[in-house]
Structures are given as structure tokens and as C-alpha cells.
Amino acid sequence: MRAVEEAAYAEGDLRRARTLARGGHVGGISVTGGRMVAAVADGLGGGGRDHGLFTVDCRLPVLDDQGRAALVEVVAAEAGRIGSLLAGDLPHSLVEHADEAGVELLPYGTELEATCTCVGWLDPCPHALALLSQVAWLVDADPLVLLHLRGLPRDDLLARLHARTVSIAEPDDDLEAAALDTAADAAARAARLLEVIDADDVAPIDHLL
């Protein structure tokens, strides 16, 4: 909502946008990486040139590969974070730590771009602000929508977290080789110990232990 307010040219545009959004004038919203698209019905102009059904296309920069990888690491840094996200909560510490890692998760007004089929010359126009307001409410209910907009959809996030967990769980090749050598040495000592015990002449075996 802060970004929406920063992007607006006038308070009147914001009020009109909120009226449209709260009045159910924003249709189904299509959310993809970096884009929000919806139809907005505007009958508030009293039948003027701004009256009708308009298509709004809003855009937000997505994270690059390095940014997405850093965000996954931030989410994985604390065990409860992914659970909070899935439950509809965006931990403040996650946003702070992401920012420290060079990942600006929350958008700024200057990042938001929009086009609309209305005749208005403002960017964003009230119709675009209505769509952005509606998306802000969606993000408030489900922060994974914000990650999706930033280029990290839910399934991709979960897959990356799973791959990271599997990678950490797999033993290092050198450590695995060392463990095998230790096991082989222990097996050889055990076999030699059994040979000594089974022999007729039982010699002291302290040196084998």
C-alpha cells in the first residue's frame, strides 16, 4: 500500500481507486512474474469518457537469478519462515534480512508501471491504482503472491528449498570415502580378532584393540 500511495499523483486518484477496488469493480486478477492484469469497470464518471470497462496491465521488476537464490537462502535461514509464508504471514525479520542480502522484496512506488485502455494520461491512472490496491490486499492475505510477482512462484520456492535440503543432507565425497576406510579398517580388525580367539594358542590381544 505504501508503494501504491507513492505511485499516485493525487489523493483524489487514490480515493477513487479505493472506491473502485472496494466496490468490486476490479475483475479477476492474473498474476505472473512481474505482471498484474485485470479488467476494471468504471461507472463512477457519470457516463463520461472514463466510463466503461478497461484493461489494466501493471508491472513490477522481478529478481534476477542471484536475487532469487539469495531470497531462498533467507527463507531457509530460519525453520519457521516457510511455515509462516504458507500460513499467510510475512515475517518482518524476513524482509529485513532479505534487504541486508541485497534483495528488496517490498516494492517502491517508482518501480510500479502501468498501462490502461482508458483515455487518462496519468501513469498510473485510478484504474491501475485500483488494481494495485486490490493486489496489495491479496499480498496482505497471502505474501507468496508478492514472491510470485518478484519472480519466485510458490512451487519454485518449495522446489528450491527441497533441493537445498537434499543437497545439505548428502554426504561430502571425501567424508564418505573416509567413513568407508574407517569401516573397512574396523572390519579387518574384527576379523583378525576372531582368528586369534579361535586359535589354539591364545596370545595377548591388547595390541589389536
Side-chain angles (χ1 to χ4, degrees):
M1 287 307 302
R2 179 198 65 192
V4 175
E5 293 169 358
E6 291 175 348
Y9 279 85
E11 182 63 28
D13 293 338
L14 274 176
R15 288 196 299 268
R16 184 176 177 189
R18 289 166 182 162
T19 300
L20 289 169
R22 290 169 180 160
H25 295 271
V26 179
I29 302 173
S30 174
V31 174
T32 57
R35 293 186 69 188
M36 302 150 272
V37 180
V40 178
D42 187 356
L44 302 181
R49 298 175 66 192
D50 55 356
H51 176 82
L53 184 65
F54 307 107
T55 300
V56 182
D57 187 345
C58 298
R59 293 169 297 282
L60 178 69
V62 299
L63 301 173
D64 58 17
D65 290 341
Q66 183 177 355
R68 288 193 292 269
L71 182 56
V72 171
E73 291 300 316
V74 170
V75 173
E78 292 186 10
R81 284 180 175 170
I82 185 58
S84 296
L85 289 172
L86 292 173
D89 181 38
L90 179 62
H92 184 65
S93 63
L94 189 155
V95 177
E96 287 186 332
H97 293 165
D99 187 63
E100 292 171 0
V103 178
E104 292 185 354
L105 189 56
L106 299 179
Y108 292 93
T110 53
E111 290 185 299
L112 301 175
E113 298 180 0
T115 57
C116 180
T117 55
C118 73
V119 297
W121 57 271
L122 294 177
D123 177 15
C125 66
H127 309 118
L129 291 172
L131 169 56
L132 291 170
S133 297
Q134 190 72 59
V135 170
W137 299 336
L138 291 177
V139 169
D140 187 50
D142 183 4
L144 289 173
V145 172
L146 177 59
L147 271 63
H148 193 161
L149 283 169
R150 285 299 200 183
L152 190 61
R154 177 182 183 275
D155 291 345
D156 190 13
L157 171 64
L158 295 177
R160 286 172 180 250
L161 289 172
H162 177 71
R164 181 183 180 280
T165 301
V166 171
S167 176
I168 292 175
E170 290 177 349
D172 181 83
D173 290 342
D174 293 338
L175 293 177
E176 186 175 4
L180 290 174
D181 289 342
T182 301
D185 180 68
R189 287 175 177 270
R192 177 58 181 152
L193 183 60
L194 291 175
E195 290 177 2
V196 172
I197 292 174
D198 290 339
D200 291 334
D201 272 355
V202 179
I205 58 175
D206 290 345
H207 66 285
L208 296 175
L209 300 178

